Amino acid sequence: MDLFQSIENVKGIGPKTTEILQKAGIFTLHDLLYYLPRTYENYQSATKIADLRPGKVVIRGKIKELAVNRTRRRNFTITEGIISDNSGSVRAVWFNQPYRAKQFDKNKEYCFSGVYDFSYGRYQLVSPSSVVASDMPTSSNFLPVYPAKYTIKPHFFNKIMQNLRTSFAAIPDLLPSEVVDEKMVKIRNRAEALFAVHFPENEADVDRGRTYFAYEELFELILAAKLNKKENSKLKSASLPFSAAKTREIVAKLPFKLTNAQRIATWDILQDLEKTTPMNRLLQGDVGSGKTVVAALAAYQAISSGKQAALLAPTAILATQHAESLDTLLRPFGVHVGLLTGSSKYKDVLKRHISSGEIDLVVGTHAILTDDTRFHDLALCIIDEQHRFGVAQRQKLLLKNSNTDTVPHLLTMTATPIPRSLQLSIFGDLDVSILNELPKGRQPIETKIMPEVNLREDLYPKVKQTIAEGQQVYWICKVIEDSDDAISVKKQAKKLEKVFPDMEISFLHGRMKPAEKDQIMGDFAAGKIDILVSTTVVEVGVNVPNATIMVIMNAENYGLAQLHQLRGRVGRGDKKSYCYLIVDGDKNPSRRLRELEKSTDGFYLAEKDLELRGPGEIYGSLQHGALNLKIATLADTKLIAAASKQAEAFAKNTENMVKYEELAKNIKKYQQLTTLN
Ligand code: ADP
Ligand code: MG
């Protein structure tokens, strides 16, 4: 069976169905088979309507009096109907599913599964899913519910799958069965796994099927990483010799002593740079741990060997700040630093100086990536906040060298800690340096959850006092303009101007002109602004050590990692800092916020985030959304370990990648997506 044949050739799928499916992005049999159920309904345990109790229920009956009501809010519909069995009747409602009104045949019996609850003033069955009772397979009452797609209703997929049911046995394998770890994965071939998720008899079938897919996905991902590493080791880079004397000279000029963690990370990196195989190292350091200076020392080693280095940052604000601090640090050692952002003046001149090699260290944003930016001899690329960049952008940067025989060394930096459990398993082969220590003299940030109603009494006096002591405040809002569910930057700034008439208050957001943003950020860094009301544009990297209060409005709207990043904008100097998480009304704060209140350890929080949010999303954000694990949960370390062991053995035999065609194709795709390997 050819999985990649067009769906129009599949038995039971006519031209009309083909057209509908194609519109929804389903082109091949493979696409269709991997269109997995969103959830399952257990129709086995129907309750008599007279016996209904609030909660999730299944009932069996006929439905009548169907009607669609439009509400005053435009485009919002409520569909209602009355379901009856021989014991009684109950009202059913669906929101924004007007098609439900036409879906049912008054004379047929259906099974309905939904939540029976008190809402809108009465008990009713809310958004039940349904299936024609006589359509239910006799072998199983446990039915998949497919996600609706485009205009296709979920039950349409049940029908299509039923048509295909007898062909499942012919589905070829993706992974050779010998790489599937028998102990971990109970199902050993794809046909069985697909059958188990599309036609399960119970929860256990679904679990086994999903475990198989998770294993498939992990195996591919890990194999791709291993092959990448192998390929990387064949490439050549310029060896950048380490000079102890020169490095010591710069370190001696620093206004502080390096932390131990900084020393160790720097040493790892400077040694990597001496090698002729390209470095590919991730520097992980919690917010404020001092990654920039480590990057500076690496850049200096490249530059003192007569080569160039580039530092890519995700925002102009951050690039500008990096350029300034690197210039201050390295200019005394003869290094020419250039700043290239979208709004840089004299870009042509700047680019000429980059291609002639007069500029040694280019700091910039995406503007560096334009085709007309060429380097004379680029030997080191540094990417700050690497998760903000796509893989394509990273690759573009690596290809900027005019000398095509060698590729630059790559140092990526992130303040989003990868949970230890993930690192050990999926990134087992990645070269990582960790700054797990904050510079001496830092006091832990004190974090408080505060209901909005307490601001006046509990926060304003504190803000007033802090500013009177010469320190500064960030005030973060979710939105720029007014909206119903969150206070805007502009409104908040106005409000604060009334509360603190003597203070300098400015606002900042992503839609302002670059020059304007630079001006305001510069003024804030120079201490000319007391309170900076801002969107999350200040989230990444920005460093103003004199700011000691971070207020985050509508804190429930952000993820754990993002809140930790925002909080990291304070506590960057030796003064005690505070972070206030403001929540609306008197709702109980979420677990997320409570964890944040408890801990400032980014690694601990990353583990918690993994627990609370699920790992797909974390890995997804690391990869800029390019890589979405559909099924695998990266928390399943045992499964990962098993897949990793098998992938290691598989990668050793180069013939394997020729023999297993479909697998090889997937691996190629993954290899392009993950440069973290
Ligand atoms: P991040 O890791 O978040 O990028 P930065 O590199 O911006 O952190 O450093 C944060 C602040 O800490 C900067 O003001 C920097 O000068 C300072 N810093 C870095 N290393 C040390 C150190 N070893 N001791 C004291 N301050 C340091
Ligand atoms: Mg930084």
Side-chain angles (χ1 to χ4, degrees), residues 280-324:
N280 184 8
R281 184 174 286 276
L282 175 69
L283 176 60
Q284 269 192 75
D286 210 342
V287 277
S289 58
K291 292 183 289 293
T292 316
V293 66
V294 176
L297 291 168
Y300 185 68
Q301 182 156 314
I303 292 160
S304 64
S305 321
K307 314 266 184 194
Q308 288 170 297
L311 170 61
L312 191 60
T315 64
I317 293 175
L318 187 55
T320 308
Q321 208 169 69
H322 277 327
E324 280 165 8

Side-chain angles (χ1 to χ4, degrees), residues 347-361:
K347 269 203 218 56
D348 292 343
V349 182
L350 204 59
K351 286 178 183 175
R352 258 207 316 279
H353 288 169
I354 294 171
S355 73
S356 70
E358 274 162 89
I359 292 180
D360 306 301
L361 175 54

Side-chain angles (χ1 to χ4, degrees), residues 356-377:
S356 70
E358 274 162 89
I359 292 180
D360 306 301
L361 175 54
V362 183
V363 181
T365 54
H366 299 82
I368 297 185
L369 301 174
T370 54
D371 287 337
D372 60 348
T373 315
R374 304 299 308 170
F375 283 77
H376 176 64
D377 196 354

Side-chain angles (χ1 to χ4, degrees), residues 71 92 108 114 117 140 202-203 229 235 254 264 337 344 486 521 615 654 658 669:
T71 59
K108 276 191 185 157
D117 197 11
S140 162
N202 49 40
E203 203 66 61
K229 178 141 187 164
L235 297 173
L254 291 172
I264 294 167
V337 178
S344 292
M521 211 50 232
T654 43
V658 186
K669 197 183 75 197

Side-chain angles (χ1 to χ4, degrees), residues 52 65-66 132 155 233 253 265 336 352 406 531 617 623 674:
L52 282 180
E65 292 179 35
L66 281 155
V132 180
H155 56 273
S233 70
K253 278 266 166 64
H336 295 129
R352 258 207 316 279
T406 62
I531 304 180
E617 285 185 61
Q623 292 297 333
T674 62

Side-chain angles (χ1 to χ4, degrees), residues 387-388 416 613 616-625 627-628:
H387 59 287
R388 292 290 179 122
T416 306
R613 227 168 29 126
E617 285 185 61
I618 292 180
Y619 196 74
S621 71
L622 274 177
Q623 292 297 333
H624 207 73
L627 185 91
N628 283 321

Side-chain angles (χ1 to χ4, degrees), residues 9-29:
N9 302 329
V10 174
K11 197 181 79 187
I13 297 184
K16 210 170 140 221
T17 310
T18 302
E19 200 183 317
I20 295 171
L21 287 170
Q22 284 178 344
K23 268 202 191 126
I26 297 170
F27 294 96
T28 64
L29 178 57

